[in-house]
Amino acid sequence: KYTKFAVCYYWINSLDQKTSIYSTLENVAIPSGEENKTAALSYDYRIMQLENTSSTGTYYCKVKWNDIQKMGKGVFVLVRDTGYINTSYGWEILVTLTVLLAVLSIITTALLLWKRK
């Protein structure tokens, strides 16, 4: 009963539109003596190079038997244009703050020493 099933890959875009990517029908032979045992099979599907930012969305895998279907949790994929530059300024801010604190520390020490004389 469970040896014939369909594996489907699809994605849902930001407008909640479902697009099928790939599907295949499988018929798995069960070796003698392995009947009525749980089996796990891996299926890898590699998505070809995504064409543009409209390919951003959540990608899913679903397996369907006659009366049952199981769906994965999905993987969110963010597609960026070629030449995209990440605008995170975390390191620049950290270095600037460190340099500023070092300069203020040196000036304060110099003023304290100068006032002491």
Side-chain angles (χ1 to χ4, degrees), residues 29-109:
I30 300 174
S32 180
E34 296 294 315
E35 298 90 353
N36 296 322
K37 291 185 179 179
T38 300
L41 301 173
S42 294
Y43 286 88
D44 293 332
Y45 180 74
R46 195 173 289 260
I47 298 172
M48 301 311 264
Q49 184 172 356
L50 301 173
E51 296 162 8
N52 53 41
T53 56
S54 66
S55 298
T56 293
T58 306
Y59 288 73
Y60 295 93
C61 174
K62 179 170 53 176
V63 179
K64 292 192 277 188
W65 291 270
N66 290 335
D67 55 346
I68 300 172
Q69 75 177 17
K70 295 287 183 178
M71 187 172 83
K73 295 178 182 176
V75 174
F76 180 76
V77 176
L78 175 62
V79 181
R80 296 179 174 165
D81 282 332
T82 303
Y84 176 83
I85 299 172
N86 196 351
T87 57
S88 173
Y89 298 107
W91 282 107
E92 290 87 350
I93 292 171
L94 182 63
V95 169
T96 303
L97 187 60
T98 303
V99 169
L100 181 63
L101 288 174
V103 169
L104 288 174
S105 176
I106 292 169
I107 292 172
T108 304
T109 303

